[in-house]
Amino acid sequence: GAVVSQHPSWVICKSGTSVKIECRSLDFQATTMFWYRQFPKQSLMLMATSNEGSKATYEQGVEKDKFLINHASLTLSTLTVTSAHPEDSSFYICSASAGKRSYNSPLHFGNGTRLTVT
Amino acid sequence: AQKVTQAQTEISVVEKEDVTLDCVYETRDTTYYLFWYKQPPSGELVFLIRRNSFDEQNEISGRYSWNFQKSTSSFNFTITASQVVDSAVYFCALSDPDNYGQNFVFGPGTRLSVLP
């Protein structure tokens, strides 16, 4: 079955530094990838939609300059948390779909990245 | 607006009991897709089922079964003879083609604890 790999699975960084999270589709081409954020005991909140070869679409309230998304190939999207602060500590999870119109395809999720900013 | 409600925040059952997780959705579209995902303590999201709005047949997969009723906009999930390994947070999700850019709308999740 389709596999999405997310790396790293956890990271601790100091306030003010930047952290890059990778999301790879291992056995399919993902034209669209999604980045979610999940606070403890809460649901997943879509942050942005990443389209290969074009700019990401950010949800309202998500700072584009803080959460940089790059979808450089059909198998890789990256999320960079720039100048991280403790309030950015969260569980970040990516997902990818093999369908161009992905609304009717099951999303395959990475294992998530737990970011802790000290 | 699209919305998914999972009224049960937390459920605790004893092993071997049956448990039903409720999901109620709202959408204006006639074509939509419903999903259930499981999130164990390790954090990853595990896909369980996808159902399109034109298929109201109930589905059974092992100990899992799903009851889709358009008349009540519900897509409930039942685990029969629950096991400790079923302990997780379960999310119901709605995918609406009119909101392709936003793709999935997740419910708040139901935390299921199965006690030995």
Side-chain angles (χ1 to χ4, degrees):
Chain A
V3 177
V4 175
S5 172
Q6 190 172 336
H7 179 82
S9 48
W10 61 271
V11 58
I12 302 173
C13 70
K14 291 186 177 180
S15 187
T17 60
S18 296
V19 174
K20 180 184 284 189
I21 302 170
E22 292 187 348
C23 181
R24 293 179 184 274
S25 57
L26 298 184
D27 57 358
F28 66 99
Q29 293 185 328
T31 54
T32 305
M33 290 186 175
F34 302 89
W35 287 95
Y36 293 85
R37 182 173 181 176
Q38 185 180 28
F39 289 105
K41 295 191 176 182
Q42 293 190 24
S43 188
L44 285 78
M45 300 298 295
L46 180 67
M47 297 175 65
T49 302
S50 169
N51 297 295
E52 187 268 336
S54 63
K55 290 184 178 180
T57 304
Y58 290 81
E59 294 301 301
Q60 193 173 11
V62 178
E63 298 177 60
K64 302 179 184 181
D65 296 331
K66 176 156 212 47
F67 299 101
L68 300 179
I69 291 172
N70 185 357
H71 194 158
S73 75
L74 285 171
T75 58
L76 174 64
S77 176
T78 60
L79 167 68
T80 301
V81 183
T82 62
S83 186
H85 290 284
E87 56 266 29
D88 299 325
S89 299
S90 190
F91 188 66
Y92 294 88
I93 189 164
C94 71
S95 66
S97 174
K100 188 170 179 60
R101 279 299 295 256
S102 62
Y103 66 83
N104 61 347
S105 302
L107 277 185
H108 302 284
F109 286 86
N111 287 348
T113 298
R114 191 164 305 281
L115 170 64
T116 302
V117 184
T118 61
Chain B
Q2 289 68 42
K3 184 179 178 181
V4 176
T5 302
Q6 294 177 256
Q8 305 143 312
T9 307
E10 295 190 31
I11 300 176
S12 287
V13 299
V14 177
E15 204 169 19
K16 296 184 183 177
E17 286 185 3
D18 298 347
V19 59
T20 295
L21 309 182
D22 298 332
C23 173
V24 174
Y25 61 93
E26 295 177 27
T27 179
R28 295 176 184 170
D29 206 85
T30 56
T31 301
Y32 52 89
Y33 296 81
L34 295 163
F35 302 78
W36 275 96
Y37 283 85
K38 174 183 179 180
Q39 187 178 41
S42 51
E44 76 273 21
L45 279 173
V46 179
F47 167 74
L48 297 179
I49 190 172
R50 177 188 66 182
R51 177 52 51 87
N52 74 58
S53 52
F54 297 110
D55 182 5
E56 287 193 70
Q57 274 193 331
N58 291 332
E59 183 158 340
I60 298 175
S61 176
R63 295 184 298 107
Y64 296 168
S65 62
W66 290 269
N67 183 0
F68 177 31
Q69 294 199 357
K70 288 182 73 173
S71 60
T72 56
S73 297
S74 65
F75 187 42
N76 297 337
F77 172 33
T78 298
I79 302 175
T80 303
S82 59
Q83 300 176 0
V84 174
V85 294
D86 296 327
S87 297
V89 180
Y90 291 86
F91 292 99
C92 181
L94 169 70
S95 182
D96 189 330
D98 283 346
N99 289 283
Y100 170 66
Q102 294 182 334
N103 204 265
F104 278 49
V105 174
F106 282 89
T110 296
R111 182 176 299 276
L112 174 65
S113 298
V114 181
L115 307 174

